[in-house]
Each structure stands twice: as structure tokens, then as C-alpha cells.
Amino acid sequence: MTKPRRDVKFQHREHRGSGSSGKGRRQSMSEISETASDAGSPNKDGTLSQPEKQAPPPQSDYEKKKQTFITRTIWTLIMIATFFGSMFAGHIYIIIIVTAVQVISFKEVIAISNVPSRARSLRFTKSLNWYFLGTTMYFLYGESVIYYFKHIILVDKVLLPFATHHRFISFMLYVTGFVFFVGSLQKGHYKFQFTQFAWTHMALYLIVVQAHFIMNNIFEGMIWFFLPVSLVITNDIFAYICGITFGRTQLIKISPKKTVEGFVGAWIFTILFGVGLTNIMMRSKYFICPVNDLGANLWTGLQCDVNPVFIPHTYQLPMVPPHWTHIPSTITIAPMQFHILVFATFASLIAPFGGFFASGLKRTFKIKDFGDSIPGHGGMTDRMDCQFIMGFFSFMYYSSFIAVHKASVGGVIETAINGLTPAQQIEVVKGLSKHLVNQGVIPQQVLEYLSGELKRR
């Protein structure tokens, strides 16, 4: 007996359902599926679900650029408002911002090389990165706090041991991380893990260490922080304007859009801007005084002996002009106006190479931005690549040519605590008390009281 064929068509059924109006015609499978898709698919309870909405049409290039421009503008205004609000509110808020910037930048740089570690399932790689960051920040922040606030730290019973043994504690913390790293080495991954170790230390040096000197600039006076930051931003803006206006000659291959004309033009405009901004900031002690009160702000101000670099001096011109020209033979100007020429020159000719370095790093890893921490701007490192080296230079230049090195209260206390015996420290107290009594600063009763207390001890 032969088996029936599965694909046999029954013509009489089709004929039976056919008619002039086509009312009895059965729908094909394609028609049924289309009808079902229009009506919706049945749910578990038997009801029909609504059909899915069609995806919106893709945005045009113009719409994308418009949206990016709007986002970039909004976040630019937010960053400007946050920066100036923090600067006027007090030094402590700027310190918090700098700390956040260096942590986010470190995270972005480390994230570039952390992807392979997750693929290899290596343990403790990410934890060690953050441990070394914390250790480095503890050492650097401790150095700054101890240096600028000795008169507070060294007289506190709890903080004194941490201050006197700060460097040893920091060293032991680092050694602990070093031992932990060696113990986490896994066979077959040695080269990769040592590469990660070197990458972490490079990030610590390029970001955290340089940010430490920016922190010191804040303690030395707000002008040494705000002025370098402003010069870099101004140079970047005018380099773009001059470049698109009359730029023709390519400057460096790693950054094809940079031109020699934009480079030189930005240098000139940065010098002019720096001279004008310095002239304004020198008039406020809030900007030129070192930090002696972390609670101070723009409205309360600061008080200090002004650094001579901000006091105008009269200089004789090298060539005396003829009398008929009515040109004066002398000029009165603050020495800071000469120093600003050096700051502006570095911000224009050297600091941009920090950005070129970052561009080369991104090209190496084939990424557009270091991250997306700032919407419309990319990562934090993309915005701060030139600021780190500029802040480093500012502190070194200030320490070498501008800072006035003199005895401070904290320095004297540190010398007395670390270099004198308790008996010698008592003699210092007696001597200072007697001197203050003779100067009429304190009454005689204070000296008698101190002498009686010291004898009992």
C-alpha cells in the first residue's frame, strides 16, 4: 500500500471556498502572520498585547551636532559656576575639587588597561591600584598638611605621633602593597601583571604627584592656583580661534589640527590676558595671601605681610628718551608683572605638550576620549591633561624665584619639639615669656604663674 504524499493540494477545497466576492477564501500563512502582528500577540491570559512601537528614525548629522553643542554648553556653564563658586567660598572647597579631579583622572587612566585584567580573571589587580592611590595620597597630603599647619598638628597629643613618623608610616604602607603585589603574581601572567604595576605607577606620577603640587599652590595663595589654570584655558581658546582664522602650517603630527600660527597667536594673547588678570588679582589679599585660615572666604578675606613681588617698584629705563618725546624715563610696576611673562610663555609653549602626550596615549589605545565623566566633553583627563604639568611648573617656579623663606611659627615649634630636650623646651618657654613681659605683651603675673608651674614639674 502506497503512503500518501504530504504536499498534495486539494483543489476541490480551494474551489469550494472560492466565490465572486471572495468572502469564503481562506487566508494564507503570510496573511495570517501579518494580521496577527497588526492585532498584537496573545498574552498568557488570552488578551492581545499592543503592537510594539517602531523605533524613531536615526538623527541626522546636524541634529547630532546640535545636541552635542547644547550638552557641551550646559556642562561648560555648570563647571564654570562650580569652579568660581568654590573659589570664592574658600580654599577648602577648591581642595575638595582638586582631590576629586585627581581621583577621577586616575580612575580613567587606569581603566584603559584594566579591561585585559578582567578578561584574564586576575585577582586583586584593581584593588591594588586603588590601594597604591590611597597610599600615595596619604603621603602627599600628609606632607602638605604637616608643612603648612605645623602650629596645629605638632601641639596635638593625638596627631603628634602621626606627624613625626609620617614618612615611615607612608613607607610601610607602600611596602605592604608591594609585598601583596608580589604575593598575587600568577604563573603565565607575569609580564601582564608587571605591566599593570608599571602602568599604575606612571599614572600616580603623572596625575597624583603633579596634583599634589597644585594643592601646595592653593596653600601658598589662591593666585598661584587660579592664574596658571586661567592661562592654560585662555591659551587653549585662543589657539583654536587663531588656528581656524589664519592657521596654515601643521605644528605636530600627533595632533593634526594644531597649527604654528595658532600656537604663536595664542602665546601673544595669553601674555596680554595674564598681565591684565594679574593686575586685578593683586589688589585682593584673599588671592595673594597664603592660607592661614581654612575657614576664610572672599568676603572675610585674609591678612598677611604681602610678598614683595606684589608691591610696585620704580625701575629706570635702560635708554633715557629725549625730553621732547615726553616719555618718562622710569616705570613703576610690580615685579609680578615680569614673572607673569614666564608663566604665560610656559602655558603657551610647553603646557600644550601635556595635551599632545595625552593625544598620543589615546591613539595608542585607539580611543577617542579617556572616559565620559563630563557629558559633551569626554573624560576628566581630557580637560586636565595640560593643567597637571602647568601646576607642577608653577610650584617649582614659585619656590625658586618668588617665595620668601623665613621662620614660621610651625617651623619654630617643629624645631623645638624634634631638636630640644624637655628641659631645653622649658627654657625656651621661660625665655619667650620674659621677652613678652618686657615688651608689654603679657602681664608679669603670667610669667610668675608659668615659672611656678614649671618648678612644680
Side-chain angles (χ1 to χ4, degrees), residues 11-22:
Q11 298 294 335
H12 62 281
R13 292 185 179 181
E14 294 181 3
H15 178 72
R16 184 186 303 173
S18 63
S20 59
S21 62

Side-chain angles (χ1 to χ4, degrees), residues 165-233:
H165 305 102
H166 172 70
R167 294 183 178 179
F168 180 77
I169 295 173
S170 302
F171 173 74
M172 292 307 299
L173 288 173
Y174 177 82
V175 169
T176 301
F178 176 78
V179 172
F180 200 82
F181 164 75
V182 175
S184 66
L185 291 174
Q186 296 183 22
K187 186 177 181 180
H189 303 294
Y190 295 149
K191 182 177 180 180
F192 174 77
Q193 289 183 287
F194 277 102
T195 302
Q196 293 291 304
F197 185 78
W199 181 260
T200 301
H201 283 69
M202 185 198 75
L204 290 173
Y205 170 73
L206 293 178
I207 297 174
V208 183
V209 173
Q210 293 189 108
H212 160 70
F213 292 103
I214 296 177
M215 202 79 66
N216 288 351
N217 291 337
I218 298 173
F219 287 125
E220 293 292 348
M222 190 67 78
I223 189 173
W224 307 115
F225 165 76
F226 180 68
L227 187 61
V229 170
S230 302
L231 292 176
V232 170
I233 296 174

Side-chain angles (χ1 to χ4, degrees), residues 201-274:
H201 283 69
M202 185 198 75
L204 290 173
Y205 170 73
L206 293 178
I207 297 174
V208 183
V209 173
Q210 293 189 108
H212 160 70
F213 292 103
I214 296 177
M215 202 79 66
N216 288 351
N217 291 337
I218 298 173
F219 287 125
E220 293 292 348
M222 190 67 78
I223 189 173
W224 307 115
F225 165 76
F226 180 68
L227 187 61
V229 170
S230 302
L231 292 176
V232 170
I233 296 174
T234 302
N235 180 260
D236 189 43
I237 294 173
F238 280 105
Y240 174 76
I241 295 175
C242 295
I244 64 174
T245 303
F246 47 81
R248 296 292 183 273
T249 310
Q250 185 178 353
L251 175 66
I252 188 170
K253 292 183 178 180
I254 196 68
S255 188
K257 294 183 180 180
K258 302 295 183 181
T259 62
V260 175
E261 294 81 3
F263 203 62
V264 176
W267 177 26
I268 297 173
F269 282 105
T270 302
I271 290 177
L272 297 176
F273 173 82

Side-chain angles (χ1 to χ4, degrees), residues 274-283 337:
V275 171
L277 181 62
T278 302
N279 187 43
I280 296 174
M281 297 183 70
M282 287 191 304
R283 302 177 184 181
Q337 296 289 14

